[in-house]
Amino acid sequence: MAAVFLKTHKRTIYKHLLTLIWTRGTVRHGSVGSGRIEKVLIANRGEIACRVMRTAKRIGLRSVAVYSDADRHSMHTAMADEAYHIGPAASQQSYLCMDKILEVARKSKAQFAELCKQEGIIFIGPPSSAIRDMGIKSTSKHIMSAAGVPIIEGYHGEDQSDTKLQIEAARIGYPVMIKAVRGGGGKGMRIARTEAEFHEQLESARREALKSFNDDVMLIEKFVENPRDCSVQRRHQKIIEEAPGPGISAEVRQKLGEAAVRAAKAVNYVGAGTVEFIMDAQHNFFFMEMNTRLQVEHPVSEMITGTDLVEWQLRVAAGERLPLTQEQIVLSGHSFEARIYAEDPNNNFLPGAGPLLHLSTPAADQNTRIETGVRQGDEVSAHYDPMIAKLVVWGEDRSAALKKLRYCLRQYNFEAGNVHTSFIAQHHSELFPEAKRPSDEELCQAALALILREKHDTQQFRNSSSDVFSPFASSNGRRLNVLQSRSMTLQLGDNKVEISITYNPDGSYSMQTRDGLFHVSGELQHEGDVTFLCCSVSGVLSRPKIVLLDNTVHIFSMEGSARVEVPVPKFLAGVSGSGTQGGAVAPMTGTIEKVLVKTGDVVQKGDPLMVMIAMKMEHTIRAPKAGVIKKVFFREGTQASRHAALVEMEEEEEASME
């Protein structure tokens, strides 16, 4: 999530314990208006823009959206009462361009930090001075230290030379965290565990920070191993969050709140903000940063307090008093939020861009919120963050909330209260077990779904044909004096499976697999955009969700999911996705940020070849084996599609013979 209404920098932060701060008073400044707000410009995109629009609509405010070339047909653009184009897909030329945002504010007459104040526009957020001071990590650390807020040891100085930063890292002691002073969300952050890898990690963090925030100034901090947290993370990005934080006593929570209040008062804060602390195993906590906005995970706070923090932010900006005092806020129950990412866990969580071919979500109710910025058919852009939605649940207690979360996600159960940020790395084998071969029952379900699709397509042909007796207008398998039999070939990874199918007179099917004979019947049922297969396999009834995409059958049930493919004939098959033989391929769609090799270079296995940027994250492409670079297919600044060949390599002996 970025700033709710004016985004100066996109920051979703490292390890945290969450405290929301609201400062009240009679002091007026550029962020507090004195009249009624009737229209609001939301200078952001995706699920958070949609979330703000829903509250604005509920309380009778008109909403104005901004969109880039990549978001012309996006959900937030369609939801708004008005929408204005602000430039190319690249964030630096659109969503991060303040002049363009202000121009839209003038055009739309929306009551939209310092530039807003100069234009006489209400900025829905804190004073510009607070954004400036808290937006730079090094500055915020100095202010918090002076205010008596505990901070973690580190270097926040102006000397940014490689030598100085490396000296400070050695003084602090490895491992250290290298962080962009304007960064967050895992962007511009790297861990250097030894002096030998410090320079490579520093350069990588700088490149990513410059691309994401237009600023590559860094700070160095001691890296805290396995800190206590109210989130589960990977790549320093939160993916599961909860409130209240587990294992935090009332006394520690009180101290956290007091420290957060001191932090807010130190910068004369007004409005909604988030103070983040890092806590070690002994419950010692240290200031990490203050986000001058609502965080991505603000819904978990709303769920346990019964509030709408976006509405509160709008009311504060209009000069109204807070609806409740601190004493009137009571925590009730427990809440979890799961972020939904367009990433491939089987490919090291690399982001995936492209069309969203199928999307179905749990039904929303009083205890379940679906915060989404995409619809089925939307394009997931390679230019923006891979988070596309959030699932938020509430329960009477932590156990009930976890049960609800499991029901909605059908994923691994992590119930232990001792949650830390290394959870995924330590439990990777349990979270991502080796893929299981679909069962024979699932193979029968896939075969039935394909047969029923054939019948549906045949019926459509029959309805549009003038010859209803055409043999192409029937697929019921009826034969004189004999039952129709056919063989269907399905593909499971690299292996092919044959199923012998007999059409029975009553409309059912007998399916013979390698391990047994099954009696199968059923029908496709459509509910909105979702298709279910209501079927019986040898007397066992089930109703899995079925998605048929080209030559692939996806089966989803409460027990898990299965994927079965139909082999594509060789004459119809496209070019293999494995790339050029002996070369390196792009693991995802992205922009070539840096080319590190040239034709004729000798490389060893694991040597860096290129640096790619995809969805604001940097990825280093390394040599799959030792050899000589025969050809480089991409230049810096060009875009490569997933599975595109990046370089061609040959054995060193072969190169010497040419």
Side-chain angles (χ1 to χ4, degrees):
M1 174 181 164
V4 176
F5 291 96
L6 178 61
K7 176 180 177 188
T8 53
H9 302 285
K10 183 172 180 60
R11 293 173 283 126
T12 305
I13 312 300
Y14 192 33
K15 317 161 182 107
H16 79 289
L17 288 163
L18 186 67
T19 307
L20 291 172
I21 299 300
W22 293 86
T23 303
R24 295 181 296 153
T26 57
V27 178
R28 296 286 182 184
H29 55 80
S31 301
V32 178
S34 57
R36 176 177 174 80
I37 296 176
E38 296 182 352
K39 184 188 292 187
V40 61
L41 167 62
I42 303 154
N44 208 326
R45 63 176 303 280
E47 59 85 20
I48 186 58
C50 296
R51 185 262 178 272
V52 174
M53 288 176 193
R54 282 189 284 270
T55 289
K57 183 175 293 186
R58 181 176 60 78
I59 63 177
L61 300 183
R62 286 175 289 161
S63 59
V64 179
V66 292
Y67 64 90
S68 68
D69 289 344
D71 283 337
R72 186 176 300 274
H73 304 293
S74 68
M75 185 174 177
H76 84 273
T77 304
M79 280 186 65
D81 295 300
E82 302 174 36
Y84 292 82
H85 178 252
I86 54 171
S91 297
Q92 292 86 348
Q93 301 175 52
S94 52
Y95 295 105
L96 293 179
C97 186
M98 288 183 286
D99 291 341
K100 291 183 178 179
I101 302 297
L102 282 170
E103 181 59 29
V104 172
R106 296 187 196 101
K107 288 180 181 178
S108 64
K109 295 182 173 57
Q111 292 170 291
F112 171 41
E114 190 66 31
L115 288 176
C116 285
K117 184 177 179 180
Q118 293 171 5
E119 295 290 336
I121 297 171
I122 297 175
F123 173 64
I124 301 176
S128 56
S129 59
I131 295 176
R132 181 178 60 251
D133 292 341
M134 295 295 99
I136 303 176
K137 288 183 173 65
S138 54
T139 302
S140 67
K141 301 277 186 179
H142 290 306
I143 294 174
M144 292 302 105
S145 179
V149 179
I151 64 172
I152 198 167
E153 181 182 4
Y155 172 72
H156 318 119
E158 295 182 2
D159 188 343
Q160 289 288 301
S161 66
D162 291 6
T163 301
K164 177 62 175 177
L165 293 178
Q166 194 153 7
I167 290 173
E168 291 298 329
R171 179 186 63 81
I172 295 167
Y174 291 95
V176 297
M177 175 66 76
I178 305 169
K179 301 170 68 174
V181 296
R182 295 186 183 273
K187 315 293 193 305
M189 295 173 62
R190 296 292 186 273
I191 299 171
R193 297 191 175 276
T194 65
E195 186 174 10
E197 66 181 42
F198 179 84
H199 182 73
E200 180 182 354
Q201 298 299 334
L202 174 63
E203 288 303 303
S204 179
R206 279 174 169 164
R207 285 194 301 268
E208 194 170 81
L210 190 62
K211 198 76 174 178
S212 297
F213 316 115
N214 285 326
D215 193 326
D216 63 356
V217 176
M218 295 286 144
L219 60 82
I220 311 294
E221 290 183 338
K222 181 66 178 176
F223 177 63
V224 179
E225 300 274 8
N226 296 333
R228 291 195 59 83
D229 207 347
C230 55
S231 71
V232 174
Q233 303 184 9
R234 56 97 185 85
R235 278 204 306 260
H236 315 304
Q237 287 186 317
K238 299 183 281 280
I239 57 173
I240 303 287
E241 294 118 342
E242 64 178 301
I248 306 299
S249 66
E251 180 183 4
V252 173
R253 196 181 305 280
Q254 177 71 20
K255 290 180 179 179
L256 283 166
E258 291 170 353
V261 169
R262 290 200 301 274
K265 288 184 175 180
V267 291
N268 298 315
Y269 201 89
V270 175
T274 311
V275 181
E276 293 198 5
F277 299 92
I278 186 170
M279 179 178 286
D280 62 21
Q282 289 73 44
H283 285 198
N284 300 309
F285 61 86
F286 308 92
F287 173 82
M288 290 294 291
E289 65 181 23
M290 182 177 188
N291 293 309
T292 55
R293 52 178 167 81
L294 292 177
Q295 286 271 91
V296 174
E297 60 270 30
H298 76 271
V300 294
S301 296
E302 294 179 325
M303 294 292 267
I304 65 171
T305 58
T307 58
D308 184 332
L309 297 178
V310 172
E311 179 183 353
W312 282 28
Q313 195 170 18
L314 291 167
R315 294 191 181 282
V316 168
E320 299 180 22
R321 286 185 170 275
L322 291 177
L324 298 173
T325 65
Q326 184 66 50
E327 294 72 24
Q328 293 174 310
I329 296 176
V330 178
L331 303 186
S332 173
H334 205 95
S335 180
F336 282 92
E337 175 183 288
R339 303 188 187 189
I340 311 301
Y341 285 91
E343 295 178 345
D344 184 359
N346 296 320
N347 192 20
N348 197 28
F349 291 104
L350 288 177
L356 193 58
L357 299 178
H358 173 77
L359 175 65
S360 61
T361 65
D365 55 35
Q366 186 176 1
N367 299 330
T368 307
R369 284 169 59 172
I370 310 295
E371 302 284 352
T372 183
V374 294
R375 302 154 298 186
Q376 184 167 304
D378 282 355
E379 188 83 11
V380 178
S381 173
H383 297 281
Y384 310 118
D385 192 278
M387 189 187 81
I388 58 175
K390 299 181 300 193
L391 168 68
V392 190
V393 300
W394 180 92
E396 293 286 349
D397 52 33
R398 191 169 189 265
S399 177
L402 273 173
K403 185 176 180 180
K404 181 73 170 176
L405 184 66
R406 287 198 301 271
Y407 178 80
C408 293
L409 289 178
R410 302 186 303 277
Q411 69 172 27
Y412 179 80
N413 175 13
F414 38 94
E415 298 186 16
N418 185 24
V419 177
H420 49 79
T421 58
S422 302
F423 185 88
I424 288 180
Q426 293 187 9
H427 296 272
H428 191 275
S429 61
E430 298 167 84
L431 287 164
F432 304 104
E434 291 187 13
K436 294 181 179 179
R437 177 187 184 276
S439 65
D440 281 4
E441 288 78 8
E442 288 171 326
L443 291 177
C444 290
Q445 290 174 344
L448 177 61
L450 290 169
I451 291 173
L452 294 175
R453 181 172 70 170
E454 286 179 2
K455 292 181 66 175
H456 174 266
D457 293 344
T458 302
Q459 184 63 43
Q460 284 192 320
F461 174 82
R462 178 187 177 93
N463 293 339
S464 61
S465 173
S466 58
D467 183 6
V468 295
F469 299 106
S470 167
F472 301 106
S474 175
S475 63
N476 58 19
R478 187 171 300 163
R479 297 291 186 272
L480 291 176
N481 303 320
V482 67
L483 296 178
Q484 181 194 1
S485 294
R486 63 184 287 192
S487 179
M488 180 180 289
T489 302
L490 301 176
Q491 184 138 3
L492 307 177
D494 295 328
N495 301 317
K496 293 182 179 180
V497 177
E498 298 290 334
I499 299 181
S500 178
I501 303 171
T502 300
Y503 287 61
N504 298 320
D506 61 358
S508 64
Y509 307 89
S510 297
M511 298 188 182
Q512 177 73 54
T513 69
R514 183 182 62 182
D515 299 322
L517 178 66
F518 298 86
H519 185 255
V520 182
S521 62
E523 63 178 2
L524 295 176
Q525 297 180 346
H526 303 281
E527 294 183 6
D529 293 331
V530 180
T531 301
F532 294 94
L533 178 66
C534 186
C535 64
S536 170
V537 179
S538 293
V540 178
L541 299 175
S542 61
R543 192 171 179 262
K545 186 185 303 177
I546 294 291
V547 180
L548 296 165
L549 294 173
D550 298 327
N551 65 320
T552 305
V553 182
H554 299 269
I555 304 171
F556 300 96
S557 69
M558 294 305 296
E559 286 70 45
S561 62
R563 171 179 171 149
V564 179
E565 295 184 340
V566 179
V568 179
K570 289 184 178 180
F571 68 90
L572 291 177
V575 178
S576 169
S578 59
T580 325
Q581 183 177 6
V585 299
M588 71 282 175
T589 299
T591 302
I592 304 300
E593 177 71 11
K594 200 167 186 178
V595 177
L596 305 173
V597 293
K598 63 183 183 300
T599 300
D601 283 354
V602 178
V603 298
Q604 300 300 317
K605 182 178 180 180
D607 284 354
L609 304 177
M610 293 184 180
V611 175
M612 291 186 70
I613 294 285
M615 292 181 165
K616 295 189 174 182
M617 289 180 286
E618 181 179 288
H619 308 273
T620 300
I621 311 301
R622 300 183 181 275
K625 64 178 182 178
V628 178
I629 302 299
K630 184 176 181 180
K631 190 172 183 180
V632 178
F633 295 108
F634 288 88
R635 303 186 309 273
E636 292 181 0
T638 57
Q639 181 143 325
S641 299
R642 185 183 184 189
H643 293 160
L646 300 176
V647 301
E648 184 178 353
M649 297 173 59
E650 58 183 349
E651 301 291 341
E652 194 168 356
E653 294 79 6
E654 296 176 6
S656 61
M657 295 175 60
E658 293 181 356

